[in-house]
Amino acid sequence: MKFRILTLIFVLLASTKLIGCSGETRIASPDENREASVRSDSGILVLSILDAGGENLYTVNTGASDFQRWSIEWLNNSELLLRSSDTGPVIFVNQPDGSWGKVNPLKKLSPDGLEVIYAYWNNYKEKTLSLSILQAHGDAKAAFIVKQKIETQIVVLDLVNCAQWQGNNNFIIKTGNDERIFTKDQDGIWVEKMVQNLRKKKPLV
């Protein structure tokens, strides 16, 4: 009896692995000119981007596990967002020259390329936001050091693209209902400037 139970468990596990490895998820871009294909290769997600005729434009091993929670969606016709509970979010971007690259949507580079906003949760359960301001360091490309850390009580349910630069001396944090604005003071320190409520006001009856 024990042998039969163990055999049944083995068969179920083998079948599950087979389905995971052979399964494929496909999703079309908004204009339907491209299609993203995600398949599992030995438990790791492999992403391919195809044109309307089915020709492969880009393939990458994402490093994300198929055995963890993940999702994929087109943000627009040129940006594809992969969320993974083990590797975090990544956006695959169609470059002007036609090639594809990937960016971390939690890190936003300033227009002048001298600073980066890195958004993360200081309390995962409560989803309260922390920010690290990184500053370019030396001549090495993409070399940054932490200039300032900001811990807030701002609740942000989705960190992806929550930070947006407005020039080089201001950035906003989008919370869903509000925009929190941060500005650089005369000493180069980032401080919160104001709170703008985006909720529609109910008409007076």
Side-chain angles (χ1 to χ4, degrees):
M1 181 66 178
K2 184 177 180 181
F3 176 77
R4 289 183 178 179
I5 293 175
L6 291 174
T7 302
L8 179 59
I9 292 174
F10 176 79
V11 170
L12 289 173
L13 289 174
S15 299
T16 302
K17 185 176 181 181
L18 180 62
I19 293 172
C21 291
S22 61
E24 183 180 17
T25 298
R26 290 194 172 219
I27 178 172
S29 60
D31 63 5
E32 299 185 347
N33 286 330
R34 296 189 178 101
E35 187 175 52
S37 167
V38 182
R39 59 184 174 83
S40 177
D41 184 358
S42 300
I44 301 299
L45 298 177
V46 175
L47 168 68
S48 295
I49 297 176
L50 315 173
D51 65 14
E55 182 179 350
N56 184 66
L57 302 175
Y58 176 71
T59 295
V60 63
N61 183 320
T62 67
S65 172
D66 187 30
F67 301 107
Q68 302 295 325
R69 294 175 59 187
W70 63 273
S71 66
I72 192 163
E73 63 177 310
W74 288 93
L75 299 179
N76 50 56
N77 294 316
S78 301
E79 295 183 322
L80 186 67
L81 170 63
L82 172 66
R83 299 177 188 264
S84 168
S85 62
D86 63 335
T87 61
V90 61
I91 295 179
F92 298 91
V93 182
N94 189 201
Q95 309 290 347
D97 63 0
S99 64
W100 288 81
K102 57 183 180 180
V103 297
N104 185 339
L106 307 186
K107 294 182 177 181
K108 292 293 182 177
L109 183 67
S110 61
D112 61 10
L114 297 180
E115 291 183 298
V116 169
I117 309 167
Y118 173 41
Y120 56 97
W121 285 312
N122 59 55
N123 186 311
Y124 180 83
K125 184 177 180 180
E126 297 181 2
K127 300 293 189 292
T128 48
L129 178 72
S130 279
L131 300 167
S132 286
I133 309 299
L134 312 179
Q135 188 175 43
H137 178 63
D139 297 328
K141 188 176 182 180
F144 291 86
I145 59 174
V146 177
K147 175 185 177 183
Q148 181 182 351
K149 289 187 176 182
I150 306 171
E151 288 198 4
T152 78
Q153 295 302 312
I154 301 172
V155 175
V156 177
L157 299 181
D158 189 358
L159 292 175
V160 173
N161 290 334
C162 72
Q164 300 289 335
W165 286 95
Q166 292 187 329
N168 295 307
N169 296 316
N170 294 279
F171 65 82
I172 63 172
I173 298 296
K174 295 183 177 181
T175 67
N177 294 323
D178 299 319
E179 284 186 357
R180 310 293 285 267
I181 301 177
F182 288 78
T183 188
K184 190 185 297 184
D185 67 15
Q186 60 184 5
D187 297 319
I189 304 300
W190 288 95
V191 295
E192 187 172 359
K193 182 178 180 181
M194 60 179 292
V195 177
Q196 179 181 353
N197 195 314
L198 298 181
R199 292 177 181 172
K200 293 182 179 180
K201 295 182 178 180
K202 294 182 179 180
L204 297 176
V205 179

